[in-house]
Amino acid sequence: MNATDFPVSLADAKSNRTEQSSLAAVHAVIVGPTLRVATAAVRAAMDDDERGSAKRSLPGFIPAGLFAQRSKDAWQGAAGLLVADFDNVPDLDRLRARLADDACVALVFTSPSGRGVKAVLRVPVDSPDPVLHLRSFRAAERWAQDQHGALLDPSGKDPSRLCFLCHDPGAQLNPMAQPLDLDRWAPIACAPRPEPRQTQRAVNNVVERARGYLDRMPPSIAGQHGHDALFRAAVVLVWGFDLSDAEATPLLDDYNQRAVPQWKTADLSRKLSEAGKAQHREPRGWLLNEKQPAEPVRITPPNEGPDGTEAALAEFLAGTDLNTRLRWGSTQATARWVLWSGTHWQAAEEKTPLPLQVAIRSALTTGLEGRRIDGRGITRLESATAMRGIGTLLSAWPSIRLPEEVDPPGLLATPAGVIDLQTGERMRHDPARPITRCCPVDPGPTCELWELIEGHLRGCLGTLYPAVHRLLGSALLGLGADRKLLWLHGPGGDGKSTLAKILRCALGDHACVVPAEVFGAEGGRGAHLHELAAGMAGARLAIGLEVSAHLDWPKLKGLSGSDEQRTKHLHGRAFSYGSPPVLMLVSNDKPIPPDRASAERLIVAALQPPADPDERIMAALKSPGLECNRLAGACLSWLLEGCADFKANGIGPVPLCSHESAGLALWWQNSVKCGRIVAGEGWA
């Protein structure tokens, strides 16, 4: 067979359509002038994204043969060719010359980027047989390494893989290329080729096992290391189960259905490519030999991970399964470690519990999973200061919250069972499943004392009542609302503190109290944002009591401004705090926001003292018992109603600054008029 007899398919990256051609015709396009301008644009690109975009405008061909469309399942005729892709070659000219002299190379040319070489090999594949193609590729890998001292891009194992064309007047064609000797270059201990029927059953079995493995892996969620989760899934497919990109793509697409938000198809393809090129501790196909694969392992993505500092060690430990056995109880009255006993969390007796000590020593022994730690730093890492940094990080990193498939934010645990906040369904709690937090009371019917409080809220808040009700209800979802800052103000004896106490009785450790002084413009010195966020992490409602009208507004924005908190105050590293709580501040004064953005963040609600205070409410709160539980249970039911209303209607219309009759515009005008705000400069 000569070059004119090698039937190949022409295609491009923008569609699945194909067109029949030959290897000789492909060579003519490469050496001709047609692609000169497009190739120059690829090589002039400033970064990988720009280069990838320019590259997709180039045509391509599928060396393996004829395809009805660009898919392995549409393989109709074999050309006996395989693409060997060498990326980022140090001595490109030398490798090109060696490949051109190799008897099994039918075509060699420089890649579109100008930094690699593409060689089309002649292989003994005379029919559309994916198994023989894979065997040929494995032989080509050893041939490339032993014969030419280079590594192949693993994407070539996919017979439908698209090879981009580019302009290269020096491309060399060998119409008399000889097939690669598979027996000579077979990988060591290569298993004999099974019969086709057995092969198909084996492939189907591997695919189903890989699918089941992915089903047990955590989903990819933005703000919760979604990139890492997707990369780990891609590694499991292309490296752990040794699947081709074509075989792995539909499985990764199924996994993507659980992602929030879902990834684009191009992103999935890129992750599969990265997973195949990355360096891994496990050998390729390590999951194929496991009859019952173990729980999904955690894999460090390339170019990311620990670097030998205290923060890196804490980050590394927080990314392991340590969070399912150990966590930092930062919202308790006294900060402490708690251990998972198998059925519940219990306080640890040691200042540094044994599981953490073991994990630290193990990480140090292995050099943080293969990364070298300076011997002089080991003592520092085992110091009390390092323990404090590790404790802070473990409280703020995802360890404060178990993986979503174990403890999803849409569930609310109560003593009698678990409530699905999305559906309202009541479910029995599985004691073997760790639920990190639990409301101390069950939602119950309304009671006379709660009716008094709710009636007082309705009377004081008026049209603002639905927004306040929905905002507090939204806290249960762990999602937050667009405006996550509720400011309750009014004269003493108006019920603000009473409401805060009842909310704490109802929510238990789903609520936390933030010291008022940390918000002050002057009194909050030493209260770093990461410390505040760590103390609030995992809670769904944070309450600040008796705060001043003069606040540290940048800090307040940092604690209530988005769906993901970030801080750079710990060892110069940035860490995120997923799903910050709804923030409720209680004050006797009206807020004085410094700018429009701060004012728009607020829901400002004013309360007035009740005409006839009911002393039974205070008595019930002072002496916890049946009456207090009824009050808290009724409050929890009220919050559940607000949660449902929030899901259906959102917060609803809210006056931008409700303590002014005409809203924010009048407030802004008056502030500028009296000099509190200088137009164009902000707060004076």
Side-chain angles (χ1 to χ4, degrees):
M1 183 183 290
N2 57 46
T4 58
D5 298 323
F6 290 130
V8 298
S9 296
L10 298 180
D12 60 58
K14 299 178 181 179
S15 72
N16 287 330
R17 291 180 299 179
T18 60
E19 180 181 341
Q20 183 172 344
S21 184
S22 68
L23 191 63
V26 167
H27 174 258
V29 172
I30 294 174
V31 298
T34 309
L35 301 178
R36 181 184 298 140
V37 175
T39 303
V42 174
R43 296 176 181 175
M46 301 298 293
D47 53 43
D48 290 342
D49 290 339
E50 183 181 348
R51 188 176 299 107
S53 178
K55 184 177 174 182
R56 284 191 289 273
S57 65
L58 293 172
F61 76 109
I62 306 176
L66 300 180
F67 291 76
Q69 59 181 7
R70 195 156 55 88
S71 169
K72 186 180 71 172
D73 296 333
W75 195 2
Q76 294 179 332
L81 300 175
L82 180 151
V83 63
D85 199 348
F86 302 89
D87 292 328
N88 299 317
V89 178
D91 192 344
L92 190 145
D93 292 336
R94 178 175 177 273
L95 180 61
R96 268 192 58 151
R98 287 178 60 90
L99 291 171
D101 290 339
D102 198 301
C104 64
V105 175
L107 174 66
V108 60
F109 61 99
T110 301
S111 66
S113 68
R115 298 179 297 181
V117 179
K118 294 184 182 293
V120 178
L121 305 185
R122 178 83 188 277
V123 291
V125 179
D126 53 7
S127 63
D129 188 342
V131 175
L132 185 55
H133 179 90
L134 180 59
R135 183 186 172 202
S136 300
F137 181 79
R138 294 292 180 237
E141 284 184 312
R142 188 178 173 203
W143 162 83
Q145 189 166 7
D146 293 357
Q147 190 81 346
H148 300 288
L151 297 177
L152 291 187
D153 186 324
S155 60
K157 65 184 179 183
D158 179 6
S160 63
R161 188 249 181 156
L162 182 67
C163 180
F164 285 104
L165 301 180
C166 65
H167 176 65
D168 181 4
Q172 292 181 273
L173 178 68
N174 177 12
M176 304 306 293
Q178 301 299 310
L180 185 70
D181 188 341
L182 301 190
D183 293 331
R184 176 186 176 188
W185 299 110
I188 298 175
C190 180
R193 177 187 172 191
E195 293 299 322
R197 183 174 299 176
Q198 294 174 334
T199 297
Q200 188 60 48
R201 284 202 299 267
V203 170
N204 291 341
N205 181 49
V206 170
V207 169
E208 290 308 312
R209 287 173 58 202
R211 190 190 306 278
Y213 198 96
L214 286 189
D215 288 344
R216 297 180 3 246
M217 295 186 71
S220 170
I221 299 177
Q224 300 181 24
H225 303 281
H227 281 276
D228 295 354
L230 182 66
F231 178 78
R232 286 193 291 268
V235 168
V236 163
L237 293 175
V238 302
W239 197 263
F241 286 100
D242 196 19
L243 296 175
S244 68
D245 287 358
E247 293 165 339
T249 296
L251 297 181
L252 195 62
D253 187 60
D254 290 344
Y255 171 82
N256 188 40
Q257 302 305 309
R258 294 190 286 140
V260 181
Q262 292 186 8
W263 295 82
K264 297 180 180 179
T265 303
D267 296 326
L268 300 182
S269 300
R270 187 177 69 254
K271 286 296 181 185
L272 289 173
S273 177
E274 292 173 356
K277 296 177 181 178
Q279 298 296 320
H280 304 288
R281 296 188 298 272
E282 302 289 347
R284 181 185 289 274
W286 92 89
L287 292 174
L288 290 173
N289 297 326
E290 296 186 13
K291 295 181 179 179
Q292 295 295 330
E295 287 301 311
V297 296
R298 298 181 180 272
I299 304 164
T300 304
N303 304 321
E304 299 179 20
D307 57 11
T309 65
E310 294 97 325
L313 178 59
E315 176 186 351
F316 172 74
L317 294 177
T320 66
D321 63 350
L322 196 65
N323 60 323
T324 63
R325 299 179 286 123
L326 175 72
R327 62 186 57 251
W328 181 252
S330 58
T331 59
Q332 307 294 330
T334 303
R336 59 186 177 180
W337 289 101
V338 289
L339 296 166
W340 177 247
S341 69
T343 58
H344 62 280
W345 293 101
Q346 59 186 16
E349 297 180 0
E350 317 100 313
K351 290 186 177 179
T352 306
L354 184 60
L356 180 57
Q357 295 180 38
V358 172
I360 291 173
R361 291 186 183 124
S362 174
L364 293 174
T365 301
T366 60
L368 283 176
E369 292 296 297
R371 290 173 175 79
R372 182 175 176 273
I373 299 178
D374 189 341
R376 294 171 297 178
I378 292 180
T379 304
R380 185 181 77 249
L381 288 170
E382 292 179 324
S383 67
T385 303
M387 288 297 107
R388 186 167 64 249
I390 291 169
T392 302
L393 266 183
L394 285 178
S395 69
W397 203 255
S399 63
I400 194 67
R401 193 182 213 164
L402 291 176
E404 185 163 331
E405 73 275 10
V406 176
D407 184 22
L411 298 185
L412 193 70
T414 67
V418 179
I419 301 172
D420 187 332
L421 295 170
Q422 301 294 338
T423 65
E425 179 186 5
R426 265 63 170 178
M427 301 177 290
R428 182 176 298 176
H429 173 49
D430 178 2
R433 175 180 181 176
I435 298 287
T436 55
R437 300 171 184 273
C438 181
C439 293
V441 296
D442 292 317
T446 188
C447 66
E448 180 186 359
L449 296 182
W450 177 252
E451 288 178 347
L452 291 172
I453 296 171
E454 185 187 3
H456 179 60
L457 291 174
R458 287 182 182 274
C460 291
L461 300 179
T463 57
L464 199 61
Y465 173 84
V468 173
H469 188 196
R470 292 168 186 168
L471 180 76
L472 292 176
S474 74
L476 300 182
L477 284 168
L479 301 177
D482 291 338
R483 298 188 183 98
K484 287 180 285 199
L485 179 55
L486 171 63
W487 186 291
L488 280 181
H489 73 92
D494 55 3
K496 301 186 300 294
S497 297
T498 301
L499 176 62
K501 291 177 182 178
I502 296 173
L503 288 171
R504 289 189 64 193
C505 290
L507 293 174
D509 53 8
H510 283 287
C512 66
V513 174
V514 184
E517 58 269 18
V518 304
F519 296 124
E522 298 179 357
R525 293 176 181 174
H528 296 291
L529 183 62
H530 75 270
E531 294 172 341
L532 293 176
M536 294 163 56
R540 301 188 184 181
L541 177 67
I543 304 172
L545 298 175
E546 306 302 332
V547 300
S548 167
H550 298 280
L551 300 178
D552 184 342
W553 284 93
K555 185 180 295 181
L556 200 61
K557 285 183 180 180
L559 294 174
S560 66
S562 66
D563 289 334
E564 183 179 86
Q565 302 292 353
R566 289 190 178 275
T567 174
K568 298 181 180 179
H569 294 286
L570 196 60
H571 301 284
R573 299 289 294 273
F575 301 99
S576 61
Y577 304 81
S579 301
V582 171
L583 194 58
M584 170 178 155
L585 300 184
V586 176
S587 175
N588 290 339
D589 305 315
K590 296 179 181 179
I592 307 176
D595 50 43
R596 185 183 297 265
S598 298
E600 291 178 347
R601 192 180 302 278
L602 298 172
I603 294 181
V604 184
L607 295 181
Q608 297 297 325
D612 184 16
D614 196 308
E615 299 297 332
R616 293 178 298 168
I617 297 175
M618 295 307 300
L621 292 174
K622 288 180 181 178
S623 302
L626 180 60
E627 196 69 23
C628 182
N629 287 346
R630 286 177 178 171
L631 181 59
C635 177
L636 185 56
S637 292
W638 181 76
L639 291 173
L640 289 171
E641 293 174 2
C643 172
D645 207 15
F646 168 73
K647 289 192 298 179
N649 304 297
I651 294 296
V654 181
L656 289 179
C657 205
S658 58
H659 61 274
E660 296 285 358
S661 58
L664 180 62
L666 181 59
W667 170 82
W668 191 271
Q669 179 182 349
N670 292 339
S671 298
V672 172
K673 184 177 181 181
C674 69
R676 286 189 299 177
I677 287 182
V678 178
E681 298 181 15
W683 180 248

